Amino acid sequence: MRRPVLLVVAHGSRDPRHAATVHDLVRRVRAQRPGLRVETGFLDFNVPSVGAVLESLDAEGVRDVVALPLLLTRAFHAKADIPAVLSEAPPRLRIRQADVLGPSPLLLAALERRLYEAGLTPADKSSTGVVLASAGSSDPEAIAVIADVAREWRHTGWCAVRPAFASASLPRTEDAVRELRELGCARVAVAPYVLAPGRLPDRIARGASEADVLADVLGPAPEVAQVLLGRYDAARTPLLTALGA
């Protein structure tokens, strides 16, 4: 039996860097899992839409799909928008929605990769305070997850780690940077906990103007691709079991 098609469901953005980064990540996923069919659909702004991809797969005769939200927390898009789009798919498709990517120790490894690429070294950890800068959400569950990730990351040896948000929630990035300065950290780094460039990541970058280091977005980091494939595997197993495979 063929493996279910992996449909990566991205948010979409008017910023062309967003879609380009999503496609870079999907290419890395394909490279890590040769033979797995991976498609990309967008909820808004970019093409192809999720609905269009599902219609195309159905027309080809595909029957099993794992839809994976390219999201770091279970906020509104994962709980409402994506299930609503999937519910309108052709009825012959068997679709299972995978979990969002976060939290995961691999994502912490990807964040550290980006900080080291920006100039830090492991020897800097004990004297460096880090702002874990998220896009933000009005969903309390999503905000709590970011706070938990910051606490977990602090225990890996950083001087301090503070969460911050580009929208909907407080504190803002610039406020968290100042807090870490006042705490006495020798240097302050901002680690965007976002997957692709866009309006909110740009706001994070502006808020990092007084920081010593600004890391890049997670993008196509190999650890992100690993997490994505792990979520796919976890979702496809019960689907195949139900089919008797």
Side-chain angles (χ1 to χ4, degrees):
M1 178 176 289
R2 292 182 179 180
R3 288 177 289 187
V5 171
L6 169 56
L7 172 58
V8 175
V9 180
H11 183 276
S13 171
R14 292 186 178 91
D15 188 323
R17 296 173 299 166
H18 176 92
T21 301
V22 170
H23 292 311
D24 285 344
L25 174 59
V26 169
R27 280 191 287 270
R28 185 176 288 275
V29 170
R30 291 185 181 125
Q32 289 192 11
R33 186 72 61 87
L36 173 63
R37 181 172 178 181
V38 187
E39 300 291 342
T40 307
F42 296 89
L43 291 175
D44 207 352
F45 302 118
N46 302 108
V47 293
S49 68
V50 175
V53 175
L54 292 172
E55 292 282 353
S56 178
L57 291 173
D58 177 63
E60 290 181 33
V62 171
R63 292 295 168 259
D64 300 309
V65 177
V66 170
L68 192 149
L70 199 59
L71 301 168
L72 295 172
T73 60
R74 269 184 48 80
F76 184 79
H77 294 303
K79 294 177 179 178
D81 286 348
I82 293 175
V85 172
L86 298 181
S87 70
E88 298 175 356
R92 290 177 296 184
L93 287 176
R94 292 180 289 262
I95 304 174
R96 188 172 186 88
Q97 182 175 327
D99 288 338
V100 297
L101 301 182
S104 167
L106 283 169
L107 293 178
L108 292 182
L111 286 166
E112 295 204 1
R113 170 189 293 275
R114 293 301 187 227
L115 285 170
Y116 297 151
E117 290 170 349
L120 293 179
T121 70
D124 295 324
K125 290 183 74 169
S126 63
S127 58
T128 301
V130 179
V131 178
L132 180 70
S134 169
S137 173
S138 58
D139 188 313
E141 178 186 349
I143 297 304
V145 166
I146 299 301
D148 288 344
V149 171
R151 280 192 291 269
E152 180 180 351
W153 203 16
R154 163 68 181 86
H155 293 150
T156 66
W158 296 100
C159 173
V161 180
R162 294 289 186 271
F165 307 94
S167 67
S169 306
L170 296 174
R172 295 287 183 255
T173 301
E174 53 268 33
D175 297 325
V177 169
R178 294 187 191 106
E179 180 185 350
L180 290 172
R181 291 277 188 220
E182 293 169 0
L183 192 63
C185 297
R187 67 184 63 78
V188 177
V190 174
Y193 192 53
V194 293
L195 289 165
R199 178 175 58 87
L200 294 180
D202 283 350
R203 187 177 296 173
I204 289 171
R206 290 193 295 272
S209 61
E210 296 181 10
D212 301 294
V213 174
L214 170 62
D216 200 356
V217 298
L218 293 172
E223 296 87 354
V224 177
Q226 285 180 260
V227 174
L228 199 153
L229 287 168
R231 297 292 188 252
Y232 167 79
D233 290 336
R236 71 185 282 264
T237 299
L239 176 60
L240 294 181
T241 300
L243 296 173

